[in-house]
Amino acid sequence: MLGLNAYATTPRLFFVLSEIGSPCGDLPIIEGCRLPVLRRNQDNEDEWPLAEILSVKDISGRKLFYVHYIDFNKRLDEWVTHERLDLKKIQFPKKEAKTPTKNGLPGSRPGSPEREVPASAQASGKTLPIPVQITLRFNLPKEREAIPGGEPDQPLSSSSCLQPNHRSTKRKVEVVSPATPVPSETAPASVFPQNGSARRAVAAQPGRKRKSNCLGTDEDSQDSSDGIPSAPRMTGSLVSDRSHDDIVTRMKNIECIELGRHRLKPWYFSPYPQELTTLPVLYLCEFCLKYGRSLKCLQRHLTKCDLRHPPGNEIYRKGTISFFEIDGRKNKSYSQNLCLLAKCFLDHKTLYYDTDPFLFYVMTEYDCKGFHIVGYFSKEKESTEDYNVACILTLPPYQRRGYGKLLIEFSYELSKVEGKTGTPEKPLSDLGLLSYRSYWSQTILEILMGLKSESGERPQITINEISEITSIKKEDVISTLQYLNLINYYKGQYILTLSEDIVDGHERAMLKRLLRIDSKCLHFTPKDWSKRGKW
């Protein structure tokens, strides 16, 4: 699924132990210590990033240390030996002061140092300024806003457009910032490249109106104006987990997973049964995803397992790529095993076993042995927040091959059939955010570059029209246009400026994107889950 992975723990105070009178070899290395640890970076060069000791274990008289590299993703955590530790710069955790009490009652948390009033100021009687937190945020107007110097409904005329050929005339273009009003959802914006020549330019037809519940705030967008993602829900099969306080869940517990012809090294903790965490390899059936403790157990299971594809209905097939729709209530065992496998590669989610309210869409690759799982995404049967994806994952052996964008494109193709706009559940993981940003950018640029003009006028399009054509939620459309720095405010009108660099970069990216969803191969009938008493 792709919220951002964040390392969040209880704040700690550290002090550096003096080397005088304390030989490095005699220093006790305990959990919570911080020190530089030797590792190889992507360029195969040695580096010494600061790391925290999360656990210590003794195997055959040799100590191993589980370290988390500070400011690095948790998927890089690993067990290291004593030789890779720089004991000269070790920092030991200092015991925190107990929670202050008020009137004899324990407080809820320690006071923030930034909020404590200095004693000197209290003694002198000075009044300290009260800190005020200001949050800039976009408010999406329901109606067109009045544009200074022009009528709100008047489209941008060709005379008011920038003419790059007249370089002697000075013109000011104001780039949209949090202080600049956001374009109205229905106000048209002119689209033109910066080199002055319109590419395939035709006036956009007014988009059709849909009955959809898409009135949301900007907090629903991953890139809100204040930079803080909205608080996620705490219900569902895989929901956001921001605590990271449990030392057990902060450590990988599965060493290796064998899934079909692939061996996977998990990135994060997954709550498989405790007796399986000590095994060197965990064996999974690639068709039903049941787990076994040995290769013999797996071979015995395969003689009984008659599945050669995920359970459920095949709703899409083109070439060797297929999608299966799986009901979390009808196929509960498979859905739970899928969540356990996905948790090995999704840190920002925690596992729940109630899969009844969810649908799972599993993408597979076909060969003579069957349909092999490539990735999946899940979605709620009923979502009040217009989420069309709850969790999304491409398994590591299939990453960087275009399957992630294919999963995202398929989720929006389902939204088009359902006649509504959608957005992924927030927060996205780091890889998920990159994939969605790339998909949104390519999809919106594809729409803008395909616009054509009538009678020589600049092509025009509204945010609503882009949202209706692509089924991307309006907030995601606006955030993507701002991320690409396409929106400008000029002479009372919002204009979208496509530079040559953006156009060339988009064309190169589309040449590499070979896998696309063919809507003709989709056989999907949406169900009205609100009319069903029980899923």
Side-chain angles (χ1 to χ4, degrees):
M1 290 232 10
L2 305 196
L4 292 173
N5 294 320
Y7 172 67
T9 58
T10 306
R12 291 175 176 170
L13 300 176
F14 291 86
F15 65 92
V16 180
L17 186 65
S18 173
E19 299 181 33
I20 301 176
S22 299
C24 294
D26 298 335
L27 295 180
I29 304 176
I30 60 175
E31 296 175 1
C33 291
R34 293 190 179 187
L35 72 170
V37 178
L38 177 64
R39 69 178 297 271
R40 289 286 181 95
N41 58 20
Q42 294 180 346
D43 299 328
N44 205 27
E45 298 175 349
D46 292 343
E47 60 181 5
W48 293 84
L50 185 65
E52 181 181 356
I53 304 294
L54 298 184
S55 181
V56 181
K57 67 179 180 180
D58 196 327
I59 299 181
S60 302
R62 188 183 186 189
K63 282 193 174 182
L64 295 178
F65 306 90
Y66 192 85
V67 298
H68 166 71
Y69 298 102
I70 308 301
D71 297 330
F72 284 72
N73 192 283
K74 284 176 58 180
R75 72 171 72 100
L76 300 178
D77 295 0
E78 59 180 337
W79 290 97
V80 300
T81 59
H82 188 275
E83 291 77 13
R84 293 173 58 182
L85 307 180
D86 185 1
L87 299 178
K88 296 180 180 179
K89 300 179 181 179
I90 189 170
Q91 303 174 19
F92 288 93
K94 186 177 180 180
K95 292 183 179 180
E96 296 181 4
K98 294 184 179 180
T99 304
T101 59
K102 185 176 181 180
N103 298 330
L105 298 176
S108 59
R109 59 182 179 181
S112 175
E114 291 79 9
R115 294 174 183 255
E116 293 178 358
V117 179
S120 59
Q122 292 179 350
S124 61
K126 295 181 180 179
T127 303
L128 295 178
I130 301 176
V132 179
Q133 182 179 2
I134 300 176
T135 303
L136 297 177
R137 126 182 4 258
F138 291 118
N139 293 320
L140 296 175
K142 294 183 180 179
E143 299 179 357
R144 301 180 186 181
E145 54 184 344
I147 300 177
E151 295 296 330
D153 297 334
Q154 183 178 359
L156 183 64
S157 61
S158 58
S159 61
S160 64
C161 293
L162 288 175
Q163 302 294 336
N165 297 331
H166 302 285
R167 297 184 180 180
S168 60
T169 305
K170 294 182 180 180
R171 292 177 173 88
K172 295 182 179 180
V173 177
E174 180 182 351
V175 179
V176 171
S177 65
T180 306
V182 171
S184 173
E185 298 160 4
T186 55
S190 292
V191 184
F192 55 91
Q194 285 183 347
N195 60 0
S197 60
R199 305 170 62 98
R200 300 182 293 276
V202 152
Q205 298 295 329
R208 64 188 183 280
K209 294 184 178 180
R210 287 181 182 153
K211 293 182 180 179
S212 60
N213 230 354
C214 44
L215 293 177
T217 64
D218 58 337
E219 291 181 354
D220 292 332
S221 176
Q222 176 72 17
D223 305 307
S224 58
S225 57
D226 56 3
I228 303 174
S230 59
R233 301 169 308 124
M234 291 306 295
T235 57
S237 61
L238 282 173
V239 300
S240 176
D241 176 24
R242 291 185 174 180
S243 60
H244 293 279
D245 288 334
D246 189 357
I247 191 63
V248 176
T249 60
R250 288 176 60 192
M251 297 170 52
K252 306 172 192 174
N253 59 335
I254 302 295
E255 184 68 26
C256 181
I257 292 178
E258 183 171 306
L259 181 68
R261 60 179 180 270
H262 301 291
R263 282 206 170 186
L264 317 177
K265 288 189 69 70
W267 296 349
Y268 309 110
F269 172 88
S270 183
Y272 278 102
Q274 180 66 30
E275 60 270 16
L276 301 180
T277 59
T278 58
L279 301 174
V281 179
L282 180 62
Y283 296 89
L284 266 63
C285 173
E286 62 176 327
F287 301 114
C288 68
L289 301 183
K290 289 185 178 179
Y291 44 84
R293 56 187 308 116
S294 66
L295 180 60
K296 187 175 182 180
C297 292
L298 175 63
Q299 292 172 345
R300 187 166 59 246
H301 165 79
L302 291 176
T303 60
K304 304 174 185 177
C305 183
D306 54 357
L307 283 179
R308 288 299 174 265
H309 59 78
N313 300 322
E314 185 180 13
I315 61 175
Y316 179 89
R317 179 187 292 186
K318 184 178 182 181
T320 59
I321 301 297
S322 295
F323 280 86
F324 291 83
E325 182 185 54
I326 299 163
D327 192 326
R329 181 182 68 86
K330 296 180 180 178
N331 301 279
K332 185 171 295 188
S333 176
Y334 181 90
S335 302
Q336 291 176 352
N337 290 332
L338 181 59
C339 291
L340 283 171
L341 175 62
K343 183 61 186 70
C344 292
F345 307 99
L346 295 174
D347 176 46
H348 64 295
K349 303 288 183 177
T350 185
L351 198 76
Y352 280 74
Y353 290 94
D354 182 18
T355 60
D356 290 10
F358 287 84
L359 295 170
F360 297 83
Y361 294 90
V362 179
M363 179 170 64
T364 63
E365 200 175 51
Y366 175 77
D367 63 13
C368 59
K369 296 183 179 180
F371 295 81
H372 309 280
I373 181 172
V374 172
Y376 90 103
F377 69 89
S378 61
K379 63 184 293 186
E380 292 177 295
K381 296 176 180 177
E382 290 183 276
S383 176
T384 58
E385 297 90 349
D386 295 328
Y387 291 140
N388 64 352
V389 166
C391 289
I392 185 168
L393 171 70
T394 304
L395 292 177
Y398 299 95
Q399 291 179 0
R400 304 184 66 84
R401 293 167 57 180
Y403 289 117
K405 281 195 183 70
L406 198 66
L407 282 167
I408 297 173
E409 186 179 1
F410 188 79
S411 69
Y412 281 107
E413 198 66 38
L414 296 182
S415 296
K416 291 178 184 178
V417 177
E418 294 170 347
K420 57 180 71 171
T421 59
T423 185
E425 183 179 317
K426 310 302 188 302
L428 294 167
S429 66
D430 53 350
L431 299 179
L433 179 60
L434 290 175
S435 298
Y436 266 95
R437 273 255 181 87
S438 178
Y439 172 80
W440 289 334
S441 301
Q442 292 179 7
T443 303
I444 294 174
L445 287 174
E446 197 172 19
I447 297 296
L448 298 181
M449 292 174 59
L451 293 177
K452 298 180 179 179
S453 60
E454 290 182 352
S455 64
E457 295 183 356
R458 299 290 185 183
Q460 296 183 5
I461 194 170
T462 66
I463 299 296
N464 269 341
E465 289 170 350
I466 297 176
S467 179
E468 290 172 357
I469 294 172
T470 61
S471 285
I472 300 174
K473 203 171 182 181
K474 291 189 288 287
E475 289 81 2
D476 296 331
V477 173
I478 294 174
S479 68
T480 302
L481 293 175
Q482 292 170 344
Y483 172 75
L484 295 173
N485 200 22
L486 298 184
I487 303 181
N488 296 283
Y489 191 69
Y490 177 73
K491 286 189 176 181
Q493 290 284 347
Y494 289 99
I495 59 177
L496 303 178
T497 306
L498 301 181
S499 66
E500 282 293 338
D501 292 339
I502 291 179
V503 172
D504 293 341
H506 171 71
E507 290 178 345
R508 287 195 302 268
M510 296 306 292
L511 289 175
K512 297 178 182 178
R513 188 174 165 187
L514 303 178
L515 296 176
R516 300 297 297 268
I517 294 296
D518 187 353
S519 58
K520 298 178 183 178
C521 300
L522 177 62
H523 305 281
F524 171 71
T525 303
K527 299 176 182 178
D528 188 359
W529 297 99
S530 62
K531 294 182 179 180
R532 298 170 180 248
K534 191 175 182 180
W535 297 302

